[in-house]
Amino acid sequence: MIEQIKIIDKYRELILNAEQYIWKNPETGYKEYKTNAYMIENFEKLGYTVKKAEGITGFSAEVDTQKAGPTVMVIAELDSLINKSHPDCDKETGTVHSCGHNAQCAAMLGIAAALKHKEILDNLCGKVRLLVVPAEEGVEVAYRKQLIEKGVIEFTSGKPEFIKRGFFKGVDIAFMVHAHSNSETEQGKRFLLGTGSNGNARKFTEFQGVSAHAGSNPHDGVNALNVASTAITTVNSLRETFKECDNIRFHSIITKGGDAVNAVPDSVVMESYVRASSAKALKDANEKINRALSAVAAAFGANVKIQDMAGSVALHDDPTLNGYAREVLTEFVGEGAFGQREFLASSTDMGDVSALFPCIHAYACGCSGTLHGKDFRVADPEAVCVDNAKFQLGLLIKLLSNGAKAAYDVIKNYKPVFSSIEEYLAHKRSFNINKQTVKYNQDGTLTLDFKA
């Protein structure tokens, strides 16, 4: 395997040029026009026919060995973040690849190039599908809501959208390798394997009060800011009711706190995430939070409009696939040069993939600074891009050589969260809610209608 993956070295210039081009042209989710065009151009130069996503960025390409076997998908992400304090950010948009997706795309080109070599394919069976996907980062959600309203997309994140559009049809196994900046406890590690991370739901809440003069007659108003602050406190008081094993997180920002300081605020808008380590825990926690928000609004004589959308399903890295990745890394870099991360409270839409297919979300070290921070960058492109491509090619060889024995072992041991894509999509849609949740009845009673 070591000799085979050295073929990546032939494409070192292609890989490193891509990392720099994409770093210098950062674009946020569903807006990755230049990056998408650059990747497609290079795929086509390598002889691929790409399948484009209609109306949005992203594409796939496939290698067929012409021998029976499973389909393994390799994934790379296109989008950047927004961080206006980063010295290398785009001065107009504030966008920057402070999550290292530029390195993923660069490594993907190396893998794509290597898979065009007969000496690689002769030892493999089945198919390899290469997916270049948009919109992993949960930014500019208001823009994505506009795309939903226009019917361009259904989901705010790229991988669920691509699952719905059929890009995962026929896939048996999937994996990706993310750029990483080592923590103090990870020094000396060249790669890290994942354990998993939380899923999330995205919430937009408008607390609706009654405006009045804040000095002379506040008693004639209903202060929506007081409703919002009490609601946040109430949800915080629920924290002891959440199970530790469910890893629940709730965090919010107020995006509108009122219009004038001398007027009782009649509209306060809050954006929130709810996170949890399983699909069921997320659904249960979100419903409990909606009940609290609605009850507080009712206590003040106010109303609340809740708009919820599914974010990501919790990620659980497949242990059997992780085991084979461990074998590849042991041969490639040595046992002491890689480690494993603990379960993370953050979220990624790779979790949606893990709920349907055995997958892993691993990490290639060699970045510096704080992930998503103003000092994050690819410090060692050889490690994060070139060695990253070698590791992924090695894992493909491990899975699809010897009659795909390893791949079939992974498939056999996997237990999906959802039995079908249809069941998965129904779960995602079950979060959708967009309504006022307090109803004041004519007989003086009220009804809380906070369920989707």
Side-chain angles (χ1 to χ4, degrees):
M1 183 267 288
I2 292 297
E3 287 304 313
Q4 288 180 290
I5 66 176
K6 286 181 180 178
I7 202 164
I8 294 290
D9 290 325
K10 292 184 178 182
Y11 301 100
R12 181 178 175 276
E13 184 177 359
L14 170 69
I15 294 168
L16 298 182
N17 285 346
E19 185 271 319
Q20 275 300 292
Y21 175 86
I22 298 170
W23 174 261
K24 292 174 182 176
N25 292 277
E27 301 162 298
T28 51
Y30 294 125
K31 296 179 181 178
E32 311 99 330
Y33 308 117
K34 289 183 286 187
T35 310
N36 193 55
Y38 180 87
M39 292 293 288
I40 289 174
E41 179 184 359
N42 279 282
F43 262 74
E44 290 178 340
K45 284 180 180 178
L46 291 168
Y48 284 93
T49 299
V50 303
K51 176 185 175 183
K52 300 177 183 178
E54 184 179 350
I56 57 173
T57 48
F59 64 93
S60 69
E62 194 162 276
V63 177
D64 189 345
T65 67
Q66 302 298 321
K67 289 171 277 188
T71 297
V72 178
M73 175 181 276
V74 185
I75 299 174
E77 298 161 341
L78 286 165
D79 58 325
S80 74
L81 283 159
I82 299 174
N83 189 334
K84 295 181 179 180
S85 62
H86 197 292
D88 290 347
C89 75
D90 184 289
K91 302 310 176 188
E92 292 185 7
T93 62
T95 53
V96 64
H97 276 286
S98 53
C99 202
H101 293 182
N102 56 316
Q104 291 181 35
C105 289
M108 174 67 89
L109 285 177
I111 298 163
L115 289 172
K116 284 295 180 179
H117 283 259
K118 187 175 184 296
E119 59 264 42
I120 297 294
L121 293 184
D122 279 351
N123 296 309
L124 307 183
C125 66
K127 298 176 183 178
V128 178
R129 191 174 302 171
L130 306 174
L131 184 73
V132 180
V133 66
E136 187 273 333
E137 301 292 354
V139 300
E140 297 184 319
V141 178
Y143 168 72
R144 299 181 196 186
K145 283 171 62 181
Q146 291 175 8
L147 294 181
I148 292 171
E149 290 163 4
K150 293 176 181 177
V152 177
I153 59 173
E154 181 176 355
F155 299 109
T156 57
S157 295
K159 294 185 194 69
E161 185 66 23
F162 273 50
I163 291 170
K164 176 202 167 186
R165 291 178 180 227
F167 281 82
F168 285 78
K169 186 178 181 180
V171 168
D172 295 293
I173 296 170
F175 65 80
M176 63 170 285
V177 180
H178 200 288
H180 186 64
S181 178
N182 297 66
S183 68
E184 288 185 13
T185 60
E186 296 165 348
Q187 294 305 309
K189 303 299 183 186
R190 293 174 61 184
F191 291 92
L192 296 168
L193 297 174
T195 302
S197 60
N198 273 345
N200 67 54
R202 293 166 179 169
K203 305 180 66 64
F204 299 86
T205 307
E206 182 189 9
F207 298 95
Q208 301 168 333
V210 177
S211 185
H213 195 291
S216 62
N217 58 321
H219 49 275
D220 290 331
V222 176
N223 192 314
L225 186 58
N226 288 343
V227 179
S229 62
T230 305
I232 292 171
T233 300
T234 301
V235 174
N236 287 339
S237 298
L238 289 175
R239 293 181 190 273
E240 68 179 22
T241 71
F242 299 140
K243 296 178 182 178
E244 295 291 337
C245 62
D246 290 335
N247 212 33
I248 305 295
R249 299 285 190 276
F250 174 75
H251 48 96
S252 303
I253 58 171
I254 299 291
T255 58
K256 176 186 176 185
D259 296 313
V261 71
N262 65 343
V264 171
D266 64 349
S267 175
V268 169
V269 180
M270 180 174 76
E271 187 174 336
S272 313
Y273 270 21
V274 182
R275 303 183 193 261
S277 62
S278 73
K280 183 180 185 306
L282 181 61
K283 196 81 189 297
D284 291 347
N286 190 60
E287 189 171 291
K288 188 180 286 189
I289 288 166
N290 282 350
R291 182 180 65 197
L293 301 179
S294 304
V296 169
F300 277 84
N303 214 317
V304 58
K305 183 178 182 182
I306 297 174
Q307 181 177 8
D308 286 351
M309 296 180 290
S312 304
V313 178
L315 167 67
H316 293 277
D317 289 71
D318 185 76
T320 309
L321 184 54
N322 251 346
Y324 287 114
R326 210 171 275 117
E327 290 181 18
V328 172
L329 288 172
T330 301
E331 187 176 349
F332 177 32
V333 297
E335 193 168 345
F338 68 92
Q340 184 158 321
R341 302 190 79 187
E342 61 184 13
F343 192 89
L344 304 173
S346 57
S347 306
T348 169
D349 60 2
M350 193 65 176
D352 293 67
V353 181
S354 79
L356 291 164
F357 315 97
C359 84
I360 61 170
H361 183 282
Y363 303 86
C365 305
C367 293
S368 62
T370 302
L371 190 68
H372 290 206
K374 65 181 181 180
D375 58 348
F376 184 90
R377 65 181 61 252
V378 174
D380 185 351
E382 291 281 349
V384 186
C385 304
V386 180
D387 287 350
N388 184 352
K390 290 179 179 178
F391 165 45
Q392 293 185 69
L393 181 61
L395 185 52
L396 283 172
I397 293 168
K398 170 66 74 173
L399 291 170
L400 294 178
S401 60
N402 298 317
K405 180 181 177 182
Y408 285 123
D409 185 39
V410 172
I411 295 164
K412 178 187 69 176
N413 290 322
Y414 174 68
K415 293 180 175 57
V417 176
F418 304 105
S419 61
S420 66
I421 288 177
E422 290 70 28
E423 183 185 344
Y424 155 79
L425 291 173
H427 167 79
K428 297 283 283 188
R429 291 164 181 155
S430 72
F431 279 87
N432 292 342
I433 178 175
N434 188 8
K435 61 183 177 181
Q436 289 180 317
T437 61
V438 182
K439 294 183 178 180
Y440 292 92
N441 305 317
Q442 290 184 346
D443 61 1
T445 63
L446 58 85
T447 304
L448 301 184
D449 181 20
F450 53 85
K451 293 187 178 183

